[in-house]
């Protein structure tokens, strides 16, 4: 089955149920939204899907991507990308270096791939720029392109617009959602903002 499928996913900490059981299917190109209070397990759910769940948490249920079980796979084998509130660009690398870092080994024309990504992000010629010289919106676009250059089969968004002002938030939301849709990959968005959920247009899970 194509897309991202969660079946009976339950997350617990110290015997207390944080989330679940959760059943959800996110089709290719669809953006599903998970909303709920702080501490409700939203980011923990994303860690479970990425394979980075802290051992202090207990998880039940299964997650599959395009019919392949994610449970038990190491993070690097899952091909699940993630964007956080902070862009997490590497400060010791140039903008181009940050993008090249994400490219799969089989990509031969790495410079061409980086240039194409920067053009897509409306930042042509920024290869040699220091990430510290970029605006918040520019950094966010570079972070998205870095995630997409890794060729993920699904992408997770952990409140990536939360630190942006209202005007920039709307523009970045449109930019991110359009690029995800163009690649026809499933996306799971965690947010507190109802506007994010409405713009995503997919199913909404309230915890």
């Amino acid at each position: 089955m194509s897309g991202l499928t969660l079946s009976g996913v339950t997350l617990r900490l110290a015997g207390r149920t944080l989330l679940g059981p959760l059943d959800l299917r996110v089709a290719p190109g669809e953006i599903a939204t998970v909303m709920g209070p702080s501490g409700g397990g939203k980011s923990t759910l994303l860690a479970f899907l990425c394979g980075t769940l802290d051992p202090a948490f207990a998880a039940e249920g299964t997650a599959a991507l395009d019919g392949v079980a994610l449970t038990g796979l190491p993070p690097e084998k899952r091909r699940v990308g993630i964007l956080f509130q902070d862009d997490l660009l590497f400060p010791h690398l140039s903008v181009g270096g940050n993008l090249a870092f994400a490219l799969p080994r089989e990509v031969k024309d790495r410079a061409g791939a980086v240039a194409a990504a920067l053009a897509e992000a409306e930042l042509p010629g920024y290869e040699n720029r220091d990430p510290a010289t970029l605006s918040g919106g520019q950094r966010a676009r570079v972070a998205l392109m870095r995630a997409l250059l890794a060729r993920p089969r699904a992408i997770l968004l952990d409140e990536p617009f939360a630190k942006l002002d209202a005007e920039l938030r709307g523009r970045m939301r449109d930019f991110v959602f359009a690029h995800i849709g163009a690649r026809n990959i499933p996306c799971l968005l965690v947010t507190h903002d109802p506007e994010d959920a409405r713009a995503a247009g997919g199913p909404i899970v309230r915890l």
Side-chain angles (χ1 to χ4, degrees):
M1 180 183 294
S2 61
L4 177 65
T5 305
L6 282 63
S7 301
V9 173
T10 303
L11 301 173
R12 295 187 176 90
L13 178 63
R16 180 173 66 92
T17 300
L18 295 179
L19 177 151
L22 174 61
D23 297 302
L24 177 67
R25 179 173 181 265
V26 189
E30 186 174 56
I31 302 172
T33 302
V34 176
M35 303 185 73
S38 297
K42 301 186 302 300
S43 294
T44 307
L45 173 64
L46 301 190
F48 168 74
L49 295 173
C50 285
T52 58
L53 186 65
D54 189 297
F57 293 89
E60 297 175 5
T62 61
L65 185 52
D66 296 333
V68 178
L70 295 177
T71 312
L73 286 178
E76 66 273 13
K77 297 290 187 182
R78 298 190 179 202
R79 292 186 61 187
V80 175
I82 187 166
L83 284 181
F84 298 97
Q85 285 188 31
D86 297 314
D87 54 71
L88 302 182
L89 297 180
F90 301 122
H92 64 288
L93 295 178
S94 65
V95 169
N98 268 275
L99 293 175
F101 180 86
L103 287 169
R105 293 180 180 177
E106 63 266 22
V107 176
K108 302 302 182 185
D109 184 9
R110 304 178 77 80
V114 168
L118 286 171
E120 194 173 345
E122 300 176 5
L123 297 170
Y126 275 54
E127 284 89 342
N128 296 322
R129 287 282 293 271
D130 183 335
T133 68
L134 303 183
S135 68
Q138 290 171 332
R139 291 175 64 92
R141 279 181 275 162
V142 172
L144 172 67
M145 299 315 297
R146 184 176 65 180
L148 295 177
L149 280 176
R151 298 179 180 174
R153 294 185 296 137
I155 194 159
L156 311 175
L157 305 178
D158 193 356
E159 304 208 44
F161 318 119
K163 293 187 176 181
L164 304 176
D165 63 53
E167 181 181 356
L168 181 56
R169 185 183 186 116
R171 293 204 307 270
M172 274 307 305
R173 186 167 51 212
D174 293 344
F175 180 85
V176 171
F177 291 173
H179 281 74
I180 291 171
R183 285 161 175 79
N184 200 39
I185 57 177
C187 173
L188 190 60
L189 165 70
V190 160
T191 184
H192 286 95
D193 189 343
E195 284 299 320
D196 289 348
R198 279 193 286 270
I204 299 173
V205 176
R206 290 181 170 85
L207 303 180

